[in-house]
Amino acid sequence: MIKQKPLSVEARDNVRRTRKSRRRRGIISAIGALTMLGSVLFGGASANAALSSSMCDFAVFVGVRGTGAPAGSNLVHNGRVWTNGGLGDQVAPIRSALINVPDMPFYFLSLAYPATAALSPSIEDGRLKLIAELNYINQTCPYAPIILAGHSQGAQVISKVLTGAATSPLGAPFNLTPAAKAN
């Protein structure tokens, strides 16, 4: 029988990292497979869903631009979102990549909030508009998946909505409906 030397701390850490890396690759592969399965089961429409008459037929992408990024155009949903532009240079490439996903239709919106250097009021305005928009999407299209993407200040807006944090340090509850939270 051959006696094995115990592994050094460094060697054990390398084994753990390798296992974690394999686990991550497996999870990413599973997500990719589920995405492809979803597109086979539910896809089939044009990838540029913004031209559709109903956002309920698609996954809804809501982009939230960063500080100082240009506003969009064509306000809809009581002035909460734009259907053209308003994503900024960092979020726009995500939209461009999603448009080119075959058989995976998206409806694209961007949040119409100030995105100014006056951070607190701008973020609060964005937070309130995003909550209202998510509730609207969930009420109108209860089965539509919602994808949120933001940069800088826009990411802060999304974070505050998803964590329930308000401008106060204690974080007041936000008003997403239970159904919208589940979506």
Side-chain angles (χ1 to χ4, degrees):
M1 207 178 201
I2 300 173
K3 252 185 154 177
Q4 289 186 337
K5 262 189 349 184
L7 292 174
S8 68
V9 173
E10 187 177 314
R12 275 184 284 169
D13 286 345
N14 284 337
V15 169
R16 285 185 190 133
R17 272 190 232 116
T18 302
R19 286 181 185 154
K20 283 183 183 179
S21 177
R22 285 183 187 148
R23 198 174 311 135
R24 272 191 218 118
R25 280 189 296 224
I27 290 169
I28 290 169
S29 296
I31 290 170
L34 288 173
T35 301
M36 284 189 259
L37 177 63
S39 69
V40 169
L41 294 175
F42 304 110
S46 165
N48 192 358
L51 301 176
S52 170
S53 59
S54 173
M55 73 177 175
C56 296
D57 297 332
F58 308 98
V60 180
F61 176 92
V62 181
V64 188
R65 71 193 197 283
T67 307
S73 61
N74 195 28
L75 279 171
V76 295
H77 305 166
N78 292 325
R80 290 187 303 268
V81 291
W82 294 296
T83 57
N84 297 314
L87 295 170
D89 292 340
Q90 292 75 20
V91 179
I94 298 170
R95 179 191 185 279
S96 296
L98 292 174
I99 284 175
N100 296 317
V101 174
D103 297 324
M104 184 66 93
F106 289 90
Y107 190 89
F108 296 97
L109 301 168
S110 56
L111 193 67
Y113 83 112
T116 62
L119 292 178
S120 290
S122 181
I123 290 170
E124 182 62 11
D125 181 74
R127 185 183 76 83
L128 294 173
K129 284 183 177 173
L130 185 56
I131 288 170
E133 185 62 20
L134 293 176
N135 282 327
Y136 171 79
I137 292 168
N138 191 62
Q139 263 185 335
T140 308
C141 311
Y143 301 106
I146 300 170
I147 295 94
L148 302 174
H151 171 71
S152 187
Q153 186 179 148
Q156 283 186 290
V157 168
I158 293 169
S159 177
K160 288 197 178 277
V161 168
L162 295 179
T163 62
T167 53
S168 70
L170 299 176
F174 60 107
N175 297 316
L176 275 181
T177 62
K181 288 178 190 175
N183 195 2

